[in-house]
Amino acid sequence: MSNPTNDNANAAAPAPSDFIRDIVAKHVAEKKYPRIHTRFPPEPNGYLHIGHAKSICLNFGIAREFGGVCNLRMDDTNPTKEDIEYVESIQADVNWLIAGWAEKELGLNSQSAIGNRQSAIPQPFYASDYFDQIHDFAVALIKKGKAFVCDLTPDETDEYRRNAKESPFRNRSVAENLDWFTRMKAGEFSDGARVLRAKIDVASPNIWLRDPLLYRIKHAEHHQTGGKWCIYPMYDFAHCLSDYIEGITHSICTLEFEVHRPLYDWILENLDLPRALPHQYEFARLSVGYTVMSKRKLMELVTEKLVTGWDDPRMPTISGIRRRGVTPEALRNFAYNIGITKYNGLTDVAVLEFAIREDLNKNALRRLAVLRPIKVVLTNVPAGKTEELDAVNNPGDESAGKRQITFSRELYIERDDFAEVPPPKFFRLKPGGEVRLKYAYIIKCDEVVKDAAGNVTELHCTADLDSKTGGATAGRKVKGTIHWVSAAHAIDAEVRLYDRLFTEAEPDKDGRDFKSVLNAKSLEVLTAKCEPSLKDAKPELRYQFERLAYFALDKDSAPGKLVFNRTITLKDAWAKEAQKS
RNA sequence: UGCCCGAUGGUGUAACGGUAGCACAGCAGACUCUGAAUCUGUUUGUCAUGGUUCAAAUCCAUGUCGGGCAACCA
């Protein structure tokens, strides 16, 4: 078994274990199946979110750990709600999340029946590829007297099912049913006029066994099959059969499908299928604090322009999280840390944030950048004189190397790093006080320059010219070290400071309108002063602006125009300390 | 209301009849040219009541609370 959490693992992390993996392990030990085969089956009616990421990691993780395969399958049985845009985004998101981790486990769809899908990138499976076979299974069920065409209206069907009453069309002859179903398929009837139903047990305590619908009429163009069909299989009918057709062994879904399981089994067991049948297992979906997860709600945020799009970095979508700068490794570690159970809990965002910081701390390149600048003039440094100083790219990873930063008489430091009237335990710059400039000198604040309104506009300081890193008095202990950039050399960058989208941990608690608790300060845009090396920032790399936060280059960047997204702040013990007083 | 499922510190999880552990969060301290990271210590828990057993978080019963389903959605 390979290591699940760290791809370039040094410390051996324990293999994940949960009740589903326990079942799979048992089946492997029993040699119940020739090969473990899972699947991730999203409906292409929205963008994937972090809850889907949990499912992807579970399904691909199991395939990885047990030498199996996992198919990506579009569960596209309802053309009126689905769109090719979603198909494409889903594919991109899944490929991104499993890249370098479970690529080898991704099932390849080499026999796509429909369309011309030859391509370098792996193609997903489609339930719609099986519409012919699923239709034939429906006919088989009719022939066995286990399905019938029902003419009841939707309202009547509802009422009959609620009252455990048999449909008056339940006992039509096989020949009659075959004829009606053929005519349904031929397009003779309007939407809703007739349906195909399984004949199971109208009195079952489980609603899903009360002669459930198998096929409905929808005169709608399908994004994959075009105008070929005007009848489409329902989820329950299509899903178990798609699983069977693909040779799935473990069909893992969320808890709300638990009551459907008897129907899943009934359909497969009543078709005299020759191969081993797949089985369904359910786990709890993910809820994370300070966000919403339902596709409907996310869709609302997008269509009402409360965010900039599905990939807005504040969204819990995979594309939003990616754009924010989170790496697939971080997301996978998060998925691993939260585990798999049948308990519907609320995961603390701190768990997600920890996984993101842990990963970024290891990999991000350190840079100096000032978000809210205030000018510092070093009065004992000659104007025009510059110095190149060594700065390490990652203190935890020597192989990340060093770069040089330019030092000069006029600098910018963070406005928050100076306090005219310092609060208790303030380690930074204050009048008459000393502070270390990272990688450079210790400076002392001699004079505070203010404008007519009394705002601090400039600080005049002197540098201890022997205190340079490596110099004679470099060892002098100064309580604080702050970041800085040379005013003349700094480059501007737009920085987008993202915060949580909602002000409440449970935005939709007790039926409250989730949009009433949107965080008005979830985005703040600033122009930062950055060290010059950042002009070469690359979208695939991550940066830590020291003492502030982790950042990633946004896709809105252009030559000469840098845009950085704040992925997540550093932990800030000072903010906590300052809050106490 | 019927049916199904669940309940372990603040949160998420482990323990599979035999010492309630881990992670996050919190708190305290050490270290620090990032108030980050790292390191050390630490507070807090088996829903309730019965039963079975030498022994129960674990098995059984009842109750309580929570979630899901009752779409021609998935």
Side-chain angles (χ1 to χ4, degrees), chain A residues 255-308:
Chain A
L255 252 23
E256 67 269 28
F257 294 100
E258 218 163 9
V259 287
H260 294 236
R261 195 186 333 134
L263 177 55
Y264 183 102
D265 292 336
W266 184 92
I267 293 168
L268 295 178
E269 284 164 5
N270 281 276
L271 280 167
D272 304 318
L273 299 169
R275 290 186 282 118
L277 301 181
H279 288 281
Q280 177 183 304
Y281 307 89
E282 309 86 11
F283 71 98
R285 62 166 0 117
L286 173 67
S287 304
V288 181
Y290 296 94
T291 191
V292 292
M293 218 61 102
S294 90
K295 280 190 198 171
R296 199 207 90 225
K297 288 177 182 136
L298 295 176
M299 178 86 78
E300 261 183 80
L301 293 173
V302 172
T303 56
E304 293 176 27
K305 305 217 183 306
L306 298 166
V307 294
T308 58

Side-chain angles (χ1 to χ4, degrees), chain A residues 74-85:
Chain A
M74 301 298 159
D75 209 349
D76 54 351
T77 57
N78 186 357
T80 57
K81 289 192 173 170
E82 296 153 11
D83 193 277
I84 194 74
E85 175 196 355

